[in-house]
Amino acid sequence: MTGSLPSRSARGCGLAGNLKQATLQGSFWLFLRFAGRQGANMLAFFVMAALLAPQEFGLGSIAAAVGYAVRPLVYRGFRDAVIQHAEADRLVDATAWWLNAGLGLAIGGIVVLAGLAAGAISGQDDLAVLLVACASIPFFTGISAVSEGRIERRFEQKSLTLVQSVASVLAAIAGIAAALAGWGAWAFVINRVLESALIAAGILLLSRWWPGFAFSAPAAVRLSRIALPVMMTATLGGSFVHLSLMIVGGVLGTAAAGYFRVATQIYQFLIQTLCAPVVQMILPAFARAPERAADRYPDAVALLALIAFPAFFGAAAIAPDLLPPLLGPAWVQPGLPAPPLSLGTLPFLPASPPHPV
């Protein structure tokens, strides 16, 4: 009959088509976002490594590793819980924002106290000051992650790509300039902290949203039930490189930490550029079609394998010969652990898609 409502199956087909198109477009822009950020970070990383002594580079890396080891606690969790809500709910979003901002402030305060205590016990005042500076990383993430989740829920990846890529480029320029000026370990810390601050500022401006003072205790309970397990799994899965770096630095010294950080950068660059965009795009897609999760899991793993295997095995083959001429003779050691680290992609591929599922 003319003018009648479409059938449920027709509406479902239209939703599936729109969701598939939005997911593909979002994945494209998400890939560009990760590639832009990681490309700028990779350039800054190797330029700073070439300009700084291994001891200086290692000291800055240890300080930044502390901030980034706790970052998944505020980047994942409440952000994911907000994305899981297919439709916007201002009270739920505001509650999630206040919970995440408070968590970021608390974690940042703990890092400050830990840095001051470590400096007093070890007598390394330089490390203590660097740790205090890096305590701002979880704070900046805490005040912006939920707003980023609200933007991702609408599949507006293009805007996030522009904001985060520009922030990474500016932070890379600042880090390289500090290294050229002879600021030592501070060059690495400036790069990491400034990127977090610029990304947070850009996301908050882009979202054009203020949560107000709305807060709901029942919503907080529901959000926490979703967020807490995600925080734990994200921290366990995403912080092992940073924790390993801190252990290496504590046991073998700052020079060894610098070597280890250069070696792990290859692994992290490939994971963040090639694999993370695919995994991150699964959550907002599955939030709208959860009944398809089981069917799409093998496809996600196959896509990750198709992308990752050639890149990781290729990096394992060329890294030992590439790093010394690229960074200088002082950086021969990082080429040795790079090949076995690249094999870390084998457990990563099947284990990552179940997180958003």
Side-chain angles (χ1 to χ4, degrees):
M1 185 172 80
T2 304
S4 62
L5 293 173
S7 65
R8 180 178 298 178
S9 60
R11 293 197 303 270
C13 292
L15 176 61
N18 293 335
L19 179 60
K20 181 177 181 180
Q21 182 180 6
T23 302
L24 290 175
Q25 291 177 349
S27 298
F28 171 75
W29 285 108
L30 191 60
F31 171 78
L32 290 183
R33 187 211 312 179
F34 277 76
R37 285 189 61 188
Q38 293 302 316
N41 289 336
M42 191 78 164
L43 176 62
F45 184 90
F46 283 116
V47 171
M48 287 188 294
L51 293 173
L52 302 176
Q55 292 83 356
E56 295 174 327
F57 193 82
L59 185 63
S61 298
I62 293 171
V66 175
Y68 275 90
V70 296
R71 184 176 179 268
L73 292 171
V74 286
Y75 183 64
R76 302 294 303 273
F78 290 111
R79 166 189 168 278
D80 293 60
V82 165
I83 295 175
Q84 193 182 35
H85 282 265
E87 301 298 331
D89 186 316
R90 183 174 180 83
L91 182 59
V92 170
D93 290 355
T95 302
W97 190 91
W98 283 108
L99 288 171
N100 210 52
L103 181 62
L105 181 62
I107 293 175
I110 292 172
V111 174
V112 169
L113 294 177
L116 295 176
I121 294 172
S122 65
Q124 298 185 27
D125 294 334
D126 292 343
L127 179 59
V129 176
L130 293 172
L131 285 172
V132 170
C134 290
S136 62
I137 293 174
F139 170 72
F140 288 132
T141 304
I143 63 175
S144 61
V146 169
S147 296
E148 180 179 337
R150 296 180 75 252
I151 297 170
E152 287 195 355
R153 185 173 59 197
R154 302 192 297 266
F155 290 91
E156 295 178 5
Q157 301 291 351
K158 183 177 179 180
S159 300
L160 285 174
T161 297
L162 178 62
V163 167
Q164 297 191 11
S165 297
V166 170
S168 296
V169 169
L170 293 176
I173 294 172
I176 293 172
L180 288 170
W183 288 16
W186 274 103
F188 193 91
V189 171
I190 288 172
N191 171 256
R192 300 286 79 205
V193 171
L194 184 60
E195 184 188 43
S196 297
L198 291 175
I199 287 176
I203 288 174
L204 293 176
L205 290 174
L206 179 64
S207 67
R208 299 186 300 276
W209 172 74
W210 167 246
F213 297 100
F215 188 87
S216 167
V221 173
R222 294 195 303 271
L223 288 165
S224 298
R225 287 174 179 170
I226 299 172
L228 291 177
V230 175
M231 290 178 190
M232 295 300 104
T233 55
T235 302
L236 291 173
S239 298
F240 75 95
V241 171
H242 306 297
L243 295 174
S244 300
L245 175 63
M246 288 186 275
I247 293 172
V248 170
V251 176
L252 300 178
T254 55
Y259 297 145
F260 184 79
R261 184 65 183 88
V262 169
T264 56
Q265 178 63 20
I266 299 171
Y267 170 82
Q268 289 183 295
F269 174 76
L270 294 175
I271 286 288
Q272 293 297 322
T273 303
L274 300 178
C275 301
V278 177
V279 176
Q280 189 162 326
M281 204 63 229
I282 292 174
L283 179 58
F286 281 3
R288 288 160 173 76
E291 70 281 356
R292 299 289 306 279
D295 296 333
R296 290 178 176 175
Y297 168 74
D299 295 335
V301 175
L303 178 59
L304 285 173
L306 178 65
I307 294 172
F309 280 167
F312 275 89
F313 294 152
I318 67 173
D321 298 323
L322 181 63
L323 290 178
L326 185 65
L327 302 180
W331 295 96
V332 174
Q333 295 297 324
L336 301 179
L341 283 171
S342 295
L343 299 179
T345 185
L346 295 176
F348 176 86
L349 296 185
S352 295
H355 291 172
V357 172

